Amino acid sequence: MTAPVFLVPAAALDGSPTRIALDGPEGRHAVSVRRLTAGEEVVLTDGEGRGAFGLVAAVEGKDVLYVDVREVRAEPRPAASVTVVQALPKGDRGELAVETMTEAGVDVVVPWAAARCVTQWRAERGAKSLAKWRATAREAAKQSRRLRFPEVTEAMTTRQVAELLRGADFAGVLHEEGSSPLATAALPAAGSLVLVVGPEGGVAPEESAAFAQAGAPAYRLGPTVLRTSTAGVAATALLLTRTGRWS
């Protein structure tokens, strides 16, 4: 088993720390849920690419754990970053999409209120849903032992997504009727790669037209039709493989 990962404030990793106290909710989880004891390996990360690797030195009460740091590592930003614009699915499928894409290695997730989305984020409901997506990404990043956690942005409109696509180094829309396979698309060696995953009802014609005008043609993943909650992770895995991040 690889060492469990816990999130700490960025300041805790500044300089050359020799001992770090893990407290608050993360400390409580480590002590009371994971029941870690002295001598066990742990990783403390700021979620921004830095990680302190060490051993549990002592446990205090039910929510404080001290770690003796052996090494601090800094993980560079990937040369090719992967952003998935995810249309809002029904129920808890949004959290499923965020969880699996995070585990695969996505860098940015953009919630998108597509025209054919049954679910709509408005006011308090939207804030709660966004908080759930961000919490899901955080927990999935820890579970998958990531040092750099993905960003979950504010929800975007179709116009905002089009602007995002226009500024990308590679942009595409996943569509079952796409004329070109994503597996053979010409990809840049570095830069931002942005893919749009539509809702269960599909990307509306006016949305497809706006995205195509922004430089994002339609691509197909394969011979089968994936649900909106699974297409993103499949596409992320494909791009990470093709850009060498999964080599």
Side-chain angles (χ1 to χ4, degrees), residues 82-109:
V82 176
T83 295
V84 174
V85 177
Q86 174 66 60
L88 308 179
K90 294 182 292 184
D92 60 358
R93 288 189 172 274
E95 287 95 271
L96 173 63
V98 172
E99 179 181 58
T100 54
M101 286 191 289
T102 298
E103 291 174 358
V106 74
D107 299 295
V108 182
V109 178

Side-chain angles (χ1 to χ4, degrees), residues 77-84 105-108 148 168-170 188-195 239-240 243 245:
R77 291 187 178 277
S81 66
V82 176
T83 295
V84 174
V106 74
D107 299 295
V108 182
R148 189 177 297 281
D169 296 289
F170 171 84
S192 59
L193 284 64
V194 183
L195 280 178
L239 292 181
L240 292 177
T243 55
R245 289 175 57 180

Side-chain angles (χ1 to χ4, degrees), residues 3-8 22 24-30 33-34 45 47 95-96 98-104 130-152:
V5 173
F6 298 95
L7 189 64
V8 296
L22 181 67
E26 291 288 275
R28 188 174 305 111
H29 183 73
V33 179
R34 295 296 299 263
T45 181
E95 287 95 271
L96 173 63
V98 172
E99 179 181 58
T100 54
M101 286 191 289
T102 298
E103 291 174 358
L130 179 60
K132 283 184 179 180
W133 280 35
R134 286 174 171 168
T136 297
R138 182 175 62 251
E139 294 308 311
K142 292 192 294 183
Q143 187 277 329
S144 54
R145 312 301 195 257
R146 291 182 59 167
L147 296 184
R148 189 177 297 281
F149 291 9
E151 176 189 3
V152 179

Side-chain angles (χ1 to χ4, degrees), residues 24-68:
E26 291 288 275
R28 188 174 305 111
H29 183 73
V31 176
S32 299
V33 179
R34 295 296 299 263
R35 298 187 181 278
L36 297 179
T37 58
E40 295 191 73
E41 294 187 355
V42 295
V43 178
L44 308 180
T45 181
D46 59 3
E48 298 175 3
R50 291 187 299 170
F53 296 73
L55 299 176
V56 176
V59 173
E60 183 179 288
K62 296 182 178 180
D63 58 1
V64 180
L65 178 147
Y66 295 94
V67 177
D68 281 343

Side-chain angles (χ1 to χ4, degrees), residues 146-201:
R146 291 182 59 167
L147 296 184
R148 189 177 297 281
F149 291 9
E151 176 189 3
V152 179
T153 73
E154 297 284 334
M156 290 190 182
T157 63
T158 296
R159 179 177 295 180
Q160 290 172 320
V161 171
E163 287 303 311
L164 177 67
L165 296 171
R166 188 171 285 111
D169 296 289
F170 171 84
V173 179
L174 297 182
H175 199 290
E176 61 191 272
E177 297 179 358
S179 58
S180 302
L182 184 61
T184 59
L187 301 179
S192 59
L193 284 64
V194 183
L195 280 178
V196 176
V197 176
E200 299 288 359

